[in-house]
Amino acid sequence: MKPRKKKKRQFRQLFARSLQRLARTRSGSAEFSGPLRSVAILAQEKLGDCVLLTPLVRNLRQAFPDLEIHLITFSRASANFFMNDPQVTAVHLVKKQPRRYFREVLSRKFDLLFNTKDHPSTWFLLQSALIRARFKVGHNNPFHEGLYDRLLDTEFHAHMAVKNCALLPLLGVTADTEACRPSLPAMPVSNEIWQLLSRLAEDIRPIGVNISAGEPNRLWTEAKWRALLERFPGERFVVLSGPDDLDAKRRLEEQCPNAVASPPTRNLYEASCIVAKLRLLVTPDTSMVHVASATGTPVAGLYREAPQDISRFGPYAIPYEIVISPTGEVSGIKPESVADAVRRLMARAIGREA
């Protein structure tokens, strides 16, 4: 572990131990009893985390139509993702507008608080202590002991969609595999995207490739994406990307005859509308894996050698193939390895149709 990361981890653990000594001790094994009129959910920061939180929000709204669902967010990305979700009562951004946050969150008392992180996080633990709630729930972890009325027991390698939904049985709500499937709140869709969707509906379902990734060690090179498309001259491809990779997207569309020219997507919901029309999606380990899980689209995922990334944040309840880099970085994966994974997924699809 790098020295900086090690220091951060040590600080988080020290902070957790300090809270455990100072805060009123909670049993960790209490049963929740009503009423349930309001819940504060501490939402994780990344877009992929947001997608994996949607099953919990959706099931809470279905089971408790009048429940106030407040999402406590720690990044602009997570706040924007849920801002227009009709199933959410209010979205609160912790690190901005402190007066508003105090007035709308810290000055009131909720019936239930849920910390979605299963490891010690300074900000999440601090808000768990500051936010007043009659009943507080967290995941079982030595650094959470004594800070929550109920600690949820889930396997470390359980999928995060399932971990989020682990709150539901405590409230008397059943959460089977399908109930834990992610979804996406509707967002604006441009006319250009609607036109593309119309063309895709009339054509053979293409294969999608998402060339963007949130971290450099999860990126696959432009040359390897081009090599992948060249291995399937008889297939049609749609190239998806984030704003930073639009130039690479356009070059692939210009250089590869089997790439369908498509407009850039402005939000994750637009991307999900396209993914829903695909035969399968090839993507590095990003939020697009969870978008595919939401739409039921098979995935060929490009991953580093990190078992927890696959088990906790991999494809959920869809056909998939995982290609693991031999070098520790996604860029080390060979195009032929990905092409083989695509062929296996297509063969499985033919088998299902037969």
Side-chain angles (χ1 to χ4, degrees):
M1 181 178 293
K2 295 180 180 179
R4 186 177 179 182
K5 287 188 175 181
K6 184 177 181 180
K7 287 183 179 180
K8 285 185 175 181
R9 186 186 67 174
Q10 290 173 339
F11 176 80
R12 289 194 297 266
Q13 293 176 351
L14 178 62
F15 183 78
R17 291 302 190 201
S18 299
L19 279 182
Q20 287 172 324
R21 287 194 296 269
L22 295 172
R24 173 175 68 88
T25 301
R26 297 173 184 258
S27 71
S29 58
E31 293 293 334
F32 179 81
S33 58
L36 181 59
R37 296 159 299 197
S38 61
V39 58
I41 302 173
L42 308 188
Q44 298 192 45
E45 299 91 339
K46 296 180 180 180
L47 274 178
D49 298 321
C50 296
V51 179
L52 296 179
L53 186 56
T54 57
L56 173 61
V57 174
R58 185 179 67 246
N59 281 279
L60 284 174
R61 177 57 65 217
Q62 291 173 354
F64 307 100
D66 298 324
L67 177 66
E68 288 189 21
I69 302 176
H70 294 256
L71 291 188
I72 314 302
T73 61
F74 299 81
S75 71
R76 180 64 65 181
S78 59
N80 289 343
F81 180 87
F82 285 108
M83 194 65 70
N84 297 314
D85 188 342
Q87 301 184 94
V88 174
T89 305
V91 177
H92 310 280
L93 189 55
V94 174
K95 300 177 183 180
K96 303 289 183 181
Q97 301 176 319
R99 291 183 180 178
R100 179 178 175 182
Y101 185 71
F102 179 85
R103 182 177 67 253
E104 296 180 355
V105 178
L106 299 183
S107 65
R108 64 170 294 175
K109 187 173 184 178
F110 297 90
D111 289 316
L112 180 70
L113 175 141
F114 180 38
N115 177 2
T116 60
K117 285 200 174 180
D118 61 357
H119 56 277
S121 163
T122 303
W123 275 101
F124 279 61
L125 287 173
L126 178 61
Q127 296 308 312
S128 293
L130 292 177
I131 296 174
R132 295 188 299 157
R134 180 167 55 85
F135 197 91
K136 299 187 178 185
V137 182
H139 289 286
N140 201 351
N141 183 287
F143 296 97
H144 287 176
E145 292 175 359
L147 300 177
Y148 298 91
D149 297 285
R150 182 62 174 266
L151 293 175
L152 303 174
D153 282 312
T154 55
E155 292 291 336
F156 174 78
H157 284 287
H159 200 281
M160 286 306 300
V162 175
K163 278 180 174 281
N164 289 332
C165 287
L167 174 68
L168 295 171
L170 181 66
L171 306 177
V173 180
T174 302
D176 60 15
T177 298
E178 191 58 34
C180 296
R181 183 181 298 278
S183 55
L184 282 97
M187 299 178 187
V189 177
S190 69
N191 289 332
E192 292 81 7
I193 295 294
W194 282 124
Q195 291 170 8
L196 172 66
L197 296 174
S198 179
R199 295 202 309 272
L200 295 180
E202 298 171 356
D203 205 347
I204 298 174
R205 296 178 72 186
I207 296 171
V209 293
N210 167 47
I211 65 173
S212 295
E215 299 176 12
N217 58 9
R218 297 183 183 186
L219 281 170
W220 213 35
T221 67
E222 184 178 337
K224 290 184 176 181
W225 285 116
R226 186 168 56 252
L228 175 66
L229 269 61
E230 289 171 352
R231 281 167 166 76
F232 295 91
E235 299 290 342
R236 302 191 73 188
F237 287 82
V238 172
V239 181
L240 299 165
S241 79
D244 294 340
D245 298 305
L246 280 179
D247 288 342
K249 165 184 162 66
R250 293 190 180 101
R251 283 193 295 269
L252 285 171
E253 291 172 342
E254 292 170 359
Q255 296 169 6
C256 301
N258 54 346
V260 179
S262 62
T265 53
R266 300 176 303 167
N267 56 58
L268 209 57
Y269 181 71
E270 283 191 336
S272 76
C273 292
I274 297 173
V275 171
K277 301 291 186 181
L278 301 175
R279 193 189 321 179
L280 62 93
L281 175 68
V282 186
T283 177
D285 173 20
T286 70
S287 59
M288 292 299 288
V289 172
H290 312 315
V291 170
S293 297
T295 60
T297 305
V299 160
L302 283 56
Y303 283 77
R304 300 169 297 162
E305 191 174 6
Q308 67 275 13
D309 289 349
I310 300 171
S311 61
R312 291 156 60 85
F313 301 99
Y316 179 81
I318 54 174
Y320 67 88
E321 291 284 339
I322 298 296
V323 186
I324 301 176
S325 172
T327 65
E329 295 190 354
V330 165
S331 60
I333 297 175
K334 295 180 179 179
E336 190 55 40
S337 299
V338 181
D340 288 342
V342 170
R343 294 186 188 103
R344 289 193 296 270
L345 273 179
M346 290 195 295
R348 289 163 63 183
I350 293 172
R352 288 197 306 276
E353 293 171 359

